[in-house]
Amino acid sequence: MQLDEHLKTFGTEDHLQQVIMSCAQGVYEIAALVHTGAALGYAGSQNIFGEQQLKLDVASNDILLKVLGEQSLVDYVASEEMDDEQHLHVSNTEEGGAQSSGVFSVAFDPLDGSSLVDVNFAVGTIIAIYPKGSFIGKKPGEMHAAVIAVYGPRTTLFVAVKGKGTHQYLLTDGGFMLQKEALKIADEGKYFAPGNLRACVKNPAYKQLVDHWLTEQYTLRYSGGMVPDINHILLKGKGVFTYPGYMDEPNGKLRLLYECGTMTFAIIEAGGIGSDGKMSLLDKRVEALDQRSPIFAGSKKEVEKAISFFV
Ligand code: P6P
């Protein structure tokens, strides 16, 4: 079943479906870039985090800005590769104000883990569809949907719609076709994806947690790409992904708006949980576009167990 047909089967609102399909078009074009080796090398610029941008980062960002810019339904856009959010389709009102036709605001990490492309590891695109308006002050729990692409041996797409579950689609010659409907994450499962192991040196709680996983003979599944690592949990239906803070970065490396909130939304729609160690990431308010957050996400009991080492 085609993506657009499947979205209709669970009553996806028409305007939301249109934006999801625009995101899917963007993913289709980014996949072509990633898989054909176009746009390799450095762009000669830095993003808001001071990270050197790859030509692939900039090209992927431009693709999403294009497909979303063509959508009159999009109000604000924000990207990990841009310094600030952009207000689209703004027209001046007779009273001298500004208004937009947009209905949704869309935040994205156009190519998460892009530095892994040159070693041919899987990477991904993370897209969050929020209600209209600025992202500042919003919470990931307000999202309408998440669209998450995995560029690996195959290109696959997760679409999670609020209250309607998380579903996987495979890019075929005939477009995105339903592969797995209503993914389910069990409460327990012995896979672990331990990000930022460097923190073990100064954070004994993390060292004890890793020792627990080793003692209990958990299976390590960590690639350094958040999207493929969480893809593994979603498709195997169990496991835990962690990226805690550390001394000089108490909130860790991953961004609430562009990565942690969106990935958690898809995990929760599949029956898992996602926390910063103290609260659900869906309830964590976006105070700044570049806000970072620790993340513990996946099987409910595995996440709770992991967090228990830090209290
Ligand atoms: P580390 C990729 O650069 C990324 O943003 C996430 O996709 C991934 O989970 C994390 O960083 C990996 O970080 O410190 O293990 O390189």
Side-chain angles (χ1 to χ4, degrees):
M1 185 185 295
Q2 292 267 356
L3 170 59
D4 58 348
E5 293 170 322
H6 185 244
L7 292 175
K8 288 187 173 65
T9 64
F10 49 86
T12 305
E13 188 271 327
D14 285 351
H15 287 161
L16 178 59
Q17 174 157 337
Q18 285 178 47
V19 176
I20 291 171
M21 293 309 292
S22 294
C23 295
Q25 175 59 31
V27 164
Y28 173 79
E29 295 179 29
I30 293 171
L33 275 183
V34 170
H35 288 137
T36 57
L40 288 182
Y42 284 94
S45 52
Q46 286 187 354
N47 64 16
I48 189 175
F49 305 96
E51 298 161 340
Q52 287 301 318
Q53 289 179 306
L54 294 168
K55 288 178 183 171
L56 265 179
D57 291 322
V58 175
S60 305
N61 193 64
D62 290 347
I63 285 170
L64 289 180
L65 286 178
K66 171 179 68 77
V67 296
L68 293 170
E70 289 163 355
Q71 260 296 349
S72 60
L73 294 166
V74 177
D75 189 29
Y76 279 83
V77 290
S79 165
E80 188 178 295
E81 300 304 331
M82 298 191 309
D83 292 350
D84 203 352
E85 59 190 8
Q86 288 182 9
H87 199 183
L88 304 183
H89 311 298
V90 176
S91 57
N92 296 319
T93 62
E94 290 167 9
E95 299 75 31
Q99 66 180 10
S100 161
S101 59
V103 176
F104 304 101
S105 289
V106 183
F108 50 86
D109 182 355
L111 201 60
D112 183 72
S114 55
S115 58
L116 297 169
V117 171
D118 61 6
V119 292
N120 204 23
F121 273 22
V123 292
T125 294
I126 309 171
I127 305 171
I129 303 173
Y130 280 87
K132 67 185 295 185
S134 167
F135 295 98
I136 304 303
K138 282 187 167 55
K139 299 176 182 177
E142 297 174 47
M143 287 170 61
H144 290 293
V147 179
I148 299 159
V150 185
Y151 309 106
R154 296 178 293 187
T155 295
T156 54
L157 197 71
F158 292 114
V159 175
V161 176
K162 187 119 186 213
K164 303 291 186 182
T166 298
H167 316 280
Q168 188 207 29
Y169 307 86
L170 171 67
L171 180 57
T172 69
D173 292 341
F176 285 102
M177 302 298 283
L178 178 65
Q179 191 85 342
K180 291 184 188 300
E181 187 175 50
L183 297 171
K184 280 292 169 265
I185 296 176
D187 280 353
E188 294 177 304
K190 291 190 166 185
Y191 285 117
F192 70 115
N196 197 20
L197 283 179
R198 296 173 292 276
C200 288
V201 172
K202 296 183 180 175
N203 188 335
Y206 201 27
K207 176 72 168 58
Q208 287 156 18
L209 172 57
V210 173
D211 287 343
H212 161 73
W213 285 325
L214 298 176
T215 307
E216 295 299 319
Q217 297 188 308
Y218 278 55
T219 300
L220 174 66
R221 286 291 179 271
Y222 187 75
S223 73
M226 184 185 203
V227 172
D229 291 340
I230 289 180
N231 167 76
H232 187 274
I233 293 171
L234 283 165
L235 294 181
K236 294 297 185 184
K238 57 187 176 181
V240 58
F241 175 91
T242 56
Y243 202 105
Y246 43 107
M247 310 319 279
D248 42 347
E249 284 290 355
N251 290 315
K253 165 184 180 183
L254 302 179
R255 293 78 175 185
L256 175 61
L257 178 62
Y258 300 121
E259 293 158 327
C260 300
T262 317
M263 299 310 291
T264 293
F265 180 90
I267 284 172
I268 288 179
E269 283 296 325
I273 65 171
S275 169
D276 67 355
K278 296 183 174 61
M279 65 188 296
S280 170
L281 284 164
L282 293 193
D283 300 330
K284 192 164 187 174
R285 190 178 301 278
V286 177
E287 307 294 354
L289 297 178
D290 62 348
Q291 180 179 348
R292 299 167 191 266
S293 173
I295 178 171
F296 302 80
S299 294
K300 182 174 183 294
K301 289 185 178 175
E302 302 300 343
V303 170
E304 290 168 348
K305 179 72 177 171
I307 290 171
S308 71
F309 281 79
F310 290 78
V311 294

